Amino acid sequence: MTKAIEVSGVSVRYNVNGEPALKDVSFDIDEGEFVLLVGRTGSGKSTLLNTINGVIPHIINAQSEGSVRVYGKDPKTTPLKDLSQIIGTVYQTPEDQIFSLIVEDDVAFGPENLALPSDEIRKRVDDAIGLVNLQGKKRFPTFLLSGGQKQRLVIADALAMRPKIMILDEPTSMLDSLGTSEVFSTLKKLRDEYGMTIIMAEHKVERVLGLVDRLILIHDRTVAIDKPIRQALMEDLNSYGIEEPQISFLYKKIDPGASMAPITVDEFLEKEAGFASFASGRHLQVEDALPPSGDPVVEFKDVSFMYEKSKNYVLEKMNFVIKKGEYVSVVGPNGSGKTTALRLIAGLQKPTLGDVRLMGISVSKIKRLDYSSLVGYVFQDPDQMLFNSTVLAEVEFTLRLRGMGKKEADKIAEGVLDLFSLRSYRDENPHRLSVGQRRLLSLAAVLVNKPKILLLDEPTRGLDWRTGEEVLDFVGQLVREQGETVITVSHNMKQASDHSSRMIVFYNGSVVADGDPRSVFSLSLEHPEWSLVPPQVFQLSARVKTEPAAIKVDEIEPLLQEYRSYSGHRTPRCPS
């Protein structure tokens, strides 16, 4: 088998006297393998990928030891123009890699810089656009593409260089379920039909299980697990801060000594053929949230909104009420108006028709300075919020703006930084932090002012599972202890069901469903256009017809333990 990538004893330092970003990392990847790279935020995944593709040291200055070979070439000494024809790289934010206004012009950008003949460029453009299924968008403006289409365009940009290897660094972190599926379907096609070698860093482990051959886990800046995917899932991934797919987690409750875990509901039921009949009709003990009793905090009354120079409404005749102390997840496909609704609540836009009210007052009558203590808004892209020269200055900015003294503001800001493990970075420039750390900083900068209404647009984007859970647990604590009202936009259905008591589904600028997560997931089964993929535990529970269907792992765990005893199931095996 031909070795596509060989990594041996690699260590990387950004500062000569600083802590290593990677320590003694070694592994090989065979040609045609699809490898999933996982690890907590800051574990060194991006550093590793940038070492393989030559960004380190050609663009990012860092000290490295050990050896990397890509089809026998050393990325350190191979010019980037040559590496770009061996390795294609796709990063988290597609806008950072799109240079042209028209789709086909963007795909042609790379080959044109190689000074290829026009006929060859045209063929490469057509082939790459066809591979990612954007044939109907060749002359389409790049800025009008959906999130999933933009990411597929960036993949096409890389494919036009005819690489043998594709590297992807969290390519779906900002995409909804539909966009994620589009990107993963493209990657599956590249692997199955063209034998491309793919290495992808991704937090959505559950969504990629049917694609990948192998999992490499980076922990404490080195390789902690390197196994075929079904064997890797029998490891305790949670202990490393990585989210375990629910179906493999549940299977281990039945057979903790198995050598391989199922990755889909079908595989689970195939391995445990008796579970469906055992569970059918069984009643689960669940605790649904009580209806909210607080006063209305946010009210949309026949709200319609149209952006300037647009002819179409983004929101149309929208009505809903959110009460004090509610934790609401707004869900739905990209482009359905979720972020626009948050911007209306935050006072950044004004409704074209209708009225938005906060605490019973129309947003048009609320003074701008009062907004900072009433509404806190954490943007989807943290870089749009960070503009100070240090981390500490970023957090204390609003406090100082409101007239607080420097000494008191410093004390409060440092306390908030402690909550998010950012105090050691207090004197760093915010833009030198990782994506996940910038996300935490943006949240800290908003929470320091103790707003009554907290708006979170994709609050865990760019964060590993454990850090994301810690953030959402902290937000939940604000709801329980301080009566905070939280409205979050999310594409993560597991987090939405685990943390929120209510889900509002947007579709084409309208509210199409509004209720507790269990009822919304049940409705979504009949509406694939909503782009909601319920958690695996709900899918399993609905398949075997428990009453009601579970939305959280702990709701079905007692039934699994009972099934294990009933079926005389296996006890853990001793390692052979």
Side-chain angles (χ1 to χ4, degrees):
M1 180 71 71
T2 302
K3 298 294 182 187
I5 299 171
E6 299 168 272
V7 178
S8 179
V10 168
S11 297
V12 178
R13 281 184 172 83
Y14 291 106
N15 298 309
V16 175
N17 297 320
E19 285 291 314
L22 289 176
K23 298 186 298 187
D24 195 25
V25 171
S26 298
F27 59 84
D28 295 340
I29 296 177
D30 291 331
E31 187 174 58
E33 269 197 291
F34 194 142
V35 177
L36 175 64
L37 185 67
V38 298
R40 296 199 65 181
T41 302
S43 62
K45 301 186 301 297
S46 294
T47 297
L48 176 58
L49 297 181
N50 285 332
T51 302
I52 293 171
N53 66 13
V55 168
I56 294 175
H58 291 287
I59 297 175
I60 298 175
N61 187 29
Q63 302 294 319
S64 62
E65 301 172 2
S67 169
V68 177
R69 294 292 182 269
V70 179
Y71 281 102
K73 295 182 181 293
D74 183 352
K76 283 184 183 179
T77 58
T78 305
L80 280 179
K81 69 179 182 63
D82 296 331
L83 283 172
S84 67
Q85 298 175 71
I86 303 172
I87 302 174
T89 304
V90 176
Y91 290 104
Q92 288 184 19
T93 310
E95 287 83 358
D96 292 344
Q97 293 182 263
I98 295 174
F99 300 99
S100 303
L101 295 176
I102 302 298
V103 167
E104 66 175 351
D105 293 344
D106 203 64
V107 180
F109 182 83
E112 285 174 345
N113 277 272
L114 296 177
L116 296 175
S118 58
D119 289 347
E120 175 65 15
I121 292 173
R122 193 172 296 109
K123 184 178 188 309
R124 289 193 180 199
V125 169
D126 289 343
D127 289 348
I129 287 177
L131 280 172
V132 300
N133 294 321
L134 286 177
Q135 298 96 322
K137 303 287 185 180
K138 286 178 67 173
R139 298 299 304 167
F140 201 75
T142 55
F143 55 87
L144 292 180
L145 295 173
S146 70
Q149 289 169 339
K150 286 179 180 177
Q151 202 63 286
R152 282 189 286 153
L153 170 59
V154 172
I155 293 174
D157 292 344
L159 291 176
M161 301 296 283
R162 299 286 172 88
K164 297 179 180 179
I165 299 168
M166 186 70 76
I167 286 178
L168 304 105
D169 192 355
E170 296 186 38
T172 67
S173 62
M174 62 180 290
L175 301 183
D176 63 8
S177 176
L178 178 61
T180 297
S181 296
E182 290 174 351
V183 170
F184 288 163
S185 294
T186 298
L187 296 179
K188 185 177 188 300
K189 183 177 182 181
L190 294 177
R191 184 200 63 177
D192 293 349
E193 298 182 20
Y194 297 91
M196 185 169 285
T197 304
I198 301 173
I199 178 169
M200 177 170 65
E202 179 61 71
H203 289 310
K204 297 177 182 177
V205 178
E206 195 168 288
R207 294 296 303 273
V208 301
L209 293 181
L211 298 176
V212 301
D213 306 307
R214 176 176 158 203
L215 180 145
I216 296 177
L217 186 148
I218 305 295
H219 179 71
D220 194 22
R221 300 175 177 85
T222 194
V223 175
I225 296 175
D226 182 358
K227 292 184 176 181
I229 185 65
R230 284 176 172 78
Q231 294 178 24
L233 293 177
M234 291 306 297
E235 300 283 345
D236 185 6
L237 298 184
N238 282 353
S239 67
Y240 293 98
I242 307 303
E243 181 179 20
E244 292 193 45
Q246 288 182 332
I247 214 70
S248 56
F249 178 83
L250 293 172
Y251 180 73
K252 285 189 287 187
K253 295 293 181 182
I254 298 174
D255 189 4
S259 59
M260 293 190 293
I263 60 176
T264 66
V265 171
D266 286 338
E267 284 188 13
F268 180 97
L269 293 175
E270 184 178 333
K271 282 179 173 287
E272 299 299 331
F275 182 70
S277 58
F278 176 83
S280 180
R282 297 292 293 271
H283 183 75
L284 303 181
Q285 296 296 320
V286 302
E287 292 184 12
D288 287 321
L290 297 174
S293 57
D295 295 328
V297 170
V298 177
E299 299 173 82
F300 270 48
K301 295 190 172 185
D302 290 323
V303 171
S304 296
F305 178 79
M306 179 189 298
Y307 283 102
E308 188 178 352
K309 297 182 180 180
S310 173
K311 296 181 180 179
N312 300 312
Y313 282 110
V314 179
L315 304 177
E316 193 164 8
K317 295 182 180 178
M318 184 168 282
N319 291 277
F320 62 82
V321 175
I322 295 174
K323 296 184 177 180
K324 178 177 168 53
E326 279 200 276
Y327 191 145
V328 179
S329 288
V330 179
V331 300
N334 285 96
S336 58
K338 303 184 298 298
T339 296
T340 299
L342 292 193
R343 291 178 65 84
L344 289 173
I345 296 170
L348 299 178
Q349 307 283 170
K350 295 181 180 180
T352 306
L353 299 172
D355 194 20
V356 177
R357 291 177 172 266
L358 304 182
M359 309 292 189
I361 304 171
S362 174
V363 292
S364 62
K365 298 179 181 179
I366 300 175
K367 294 179 180 179
R368 177 56 53 190
L369 190 59
D370 293 336
Y371 247 106
S372 63
S373 59
L374 182 61
V375 178
Y377 183 16
V378 180
F379 294 175
Q380 185 178 106
D381 183 356
D383 291 340
Q384 294 180 357
M385 301 178 59
L386 306 177
F387 49 83
N388 283 283
S389 59
T390 69
V391 167
L392 181 64
E394 198 69 64
V395 176
E396 68 180 16
F397 177 80
T398 307
L399 300 177
R400 298 282 287 151
L401 194 66
R402 294 179 65 83
M404 185 177 290
K406 172 70 173 169
K407 188 174 181 180
E408 185 181 1
D410 280 357
K411 183 178 179 181
I412 293 174
E414 287 180 349
V416 173
L417 290 175
D418 280 335
L419 286 173
F420 294 101
S421 301
L422 290 173
R423 186 164 185 163
S424 62
Y425 301 98
R426 54 166 283 166
D427 297 321
E428 291 279 352
N429 186 301
H431 294 284
R432 292 181 64 86
L433 303 180
S434 70
V435 173
Q437 289 167 332
R438 297 200 300 273
R439 162 63 67 199
L440 295 177
L441 177 58
S442 67
L443 184 58
V446 167
L447 288 178
V448 73
N449 209 42
K450 298 182 179 178
K452 295 179 176 64
I453 303 168
L454 183 59
L455 309 178
L456 304 172
D457 198 348
E458 296 288 352
T460 62
R461 195 186 97 186
L463 300 180
D464 62 73
W465 168 72
R466 179 172 291 168
T467 304
E469 287 297 297
E470 289 170 354
V471 168
L472 295 179
D473 286 343
F474 179 76
V475 170
Q477 186 178 342
L478 293 177
V479 173
R480 293 188 300 273
E481 297 180 3
Q482 300 180 25
E484 189 99 12
T485 301
V486 176
I487 306 170
T488 179
V489 166
S490 180
H491 292 307
N492 187 318
M493 295 303 106
K494 181 178 180 298
Q495 288 179 343
S497 60
D498 282 349
H499 295 278
S500 58
S501 56
R502 176 180 169 195
M503 293 172 67
I504 301 177
V505 184
F506 283 21
Y507 182 70
N508 282 347
S510 299
V511 173
V512 293
D514 184 351
D516 63 87
R518 202 182 316 276
S519 61
V520 169
F521 288 146
S522 296
L523 283 172
S524 74
L525 298 178
E526 302 171 9
H527 295 278
E529 71 275 10
W530 293 355
S531 194
L532 307 185
V533 177
Q536 283 186 328
V537 66
F538 178 87
Q539 297 176 43
L540 173 65
S541 194
R543 282 277 295 275
V544 301
K545 298 182 173 59
T546 63
E547 296 290 343
I551 59 171
K552 300 178 181 179
V553 165
D554 57 11
E555 292 179 345
I556 202 171
E557 273 192 86
L559 184 62
L560 290 169
Q561 297 292 352
E562 186 181 343
Y563 169 72
R564 181 180 177 186
S565 299
Y566 166 81
S567 61
H569 228 292
R570 301 160 286 281
T571 56
R573 304 183 183 98
C574 295
S576 55

